[in-house]
Amino acid sequence: MALTASRYGKDQVRVMRLTRSGDHHVPRELTLSVLLTGRFDAAWTEGDNRACIATDSVKNIVNVTAARNLSLDAEGFAVAVARVLLETYPQVETVTIEAEETRWQRHAVDGVPHGHTFTRDGNGSGYVGLEATRSGSILRSGIRGYTFMKTTQSGWAGFVADGYRTLPDATDRIAATSMDATWTWSAAPADYEAANARILATLLTVFGTTYSRGVQDSMYRMGEAALATVPEVAEIAFVMPNKHYVPIDLKPFGLENPGTVFLPTDEPHGRIEATIGRAG
């Protein structure tokens, strides 16, 4: 039997590159598929792996290339990864790369683009919930899956230290979430659409412009501010899972990582919930 086609590589390689110029940050997040075609037939036909490059090495090449090319656009980055593979391994004949970009839009606070607060492009969906009886009704509005991030001014420290803890304290980390928020109306505002927009803008302003000691800390202050901004809201409920960006250890490759290259990961994730209402 003839082996008529074969290739292999690494799929779903996620990497975030972050350039920092003072308080002005630029995130570049990609998910890549990197596949190799070349003189690897013996691995299939004879169980001979001597020509094979570990797929873990392919992932490492993506990460090292990221550290060395923080500012390249997505196209240039794909070219750089392919160049490393072709120049390093003579048995590689073709490198096929597909990359999907997670696009982050810079959020504006009071009309001014913010240095390190971003919302995901094509973001979220609106929500309306109604419970109606002949004696009355409860109307809720909100948003689902609204994803946003800040690349500094966030920490998580001072939590329980026991035999199961492995996380160190962090005082400067990326904070990101995909938020579900639901607010319950006690009265009708003059304009629901305008009121909903004010609530969302308030939530993002508090998140982006204040230091966060944890999702819980930000969530509570975001809720307080929303209630203060729109008096017709009785309470606001949040579900805010963590979207983790883990600094990649580049020391095995002789490189430092000063908070510029991260592994984006969604699973498993923390899930934080709370409802903030008016006192009394």
Side-chain angles (χ1 to χ4, degrees):
M1 299 294 181
L3 179 68
T4 58
S6 64
R7 64 179 183 173
Y8 81 105
K10 202 72 163 179
D11 214 355
Q12 294 293 301
V13 182
R14 302 181 64 186
V15 65
M16 161 83 88
R17 294 171 292 147
L18 184 64
T19 54
R20 300 169 179 256
S21 178
D23 189 52
H24 185 85
H25 296 180
V26 179
R28 296 177 173 89
E29 181 176 346
L30 292 173
T31 301
L32 300 96
S33 170
V34 184
L35 294 174
L36 310 177
T37 305
R39 298 190 297 276
F40 305 114
D41 286 7
W44 275 267
T45 60
E46 302 172 29
D48 183 345
N49 297 325
R50 284 177 292 176
C52 285
I53 304 146
T55 63
D56 189 64
S57 297
V58 175
K59 177 204 70 178
N60 291 338
I61 285 170
V62 171
N63 293 336
V64 170
T65 304
R68 291 173 174 164
N69 298 275
L70 294 177
S71 300
L72 281 180
D73 54 28
E75 291 81 1
F77 183 68
V79 170
V81 170
R83 183 181 298 119
V84 172
L85 287 161
L86 290 169
E87 291 178 352
T88 304
Y89 304 106
Q91 66 271 42
V92 173
E93 296 172 353
T94 303
V95 178
T96 302
I97 297 176
E98 294 183 354
E100 294 184 2
E101 184 175 11
T102 298
R103 294 183 295 178
W104 293 101
Q105 295 182 326
R106 192 173 302 279
H107 181 62
V109 176
D110 296 329
V112 180
H114 196 260
H116 56 257
T117 304
F118 305 86
T119 60
R120 186 168 177 167
D121 192 17
N123 212 348
S125 56
Y127 169 82
V128 174
L130 176 65
E131 297 176 19
T133 68
R134 290 181 178 84
S135 59
S137 63
I138 299 173
L139 179 63
R140 298 180 176 92
S141 301
I143 195 159
R144 296 289 181 267
Y146 196 86
T147 302
F148 50 96
M149 169 183 72
K150 62 180 177 180
T151 50
T152 190
Q153 291 296 302
S154 172
W156 176 241
F159 50 96
V160 172
D162 58 15
Y164 297 101
R165 172 175 163 172
T166 58
L167 287 177
D169 283 354
T171 57
D172 187 8
R173 64 173 188 168
I174 292 177
T177 188
S178 179
M179 176 183 72
D180 290 352
T182 306
W183 42 95
T184 302
W185 300 101
S186 58
D191 183 323
Y192 279 108
E193 185 175 354
N196 289 337
R198 285 202 308 276
I199 291 169
L200 182 57
T202 298
L203 299 179
L204 292 172
T205 296
V206 172
F207 176 82
T209 61
T210 63
Y211 184 83
S212 173
R213 293 176 176 83
V215 175
Q216 294 90 332
D217 173 50
S218 284
M219 181 185 289
Y220 183 77
R221 290 184 290 104
M222 291 161 68
E224 280 188 313
L227 293 174
T229 299
V230 180
E232 295 87 356
V233 170
E235 64 179 23
I236 182 168
F238 296 97
V239 179
M240 290 172 62
N242 280 321
K243 295 175 70 68
H244 297 292
Y245 288 82
V246 181
I248 294 173
D249 182 8
L250 298 171
K251 290 180 181 176
F253 313 106
L255 298 171
E256 295 296 322
N257 183 4
T260 54
V261 184
F262 301 85
L263 171 65
T265 178
D266 298 318
E267 299 174 354
H269 58 244
R271 178 183 172 108
I272 298 94
E273 301 183 15
T275 301
I276 296 93
R278 298 185 185 278

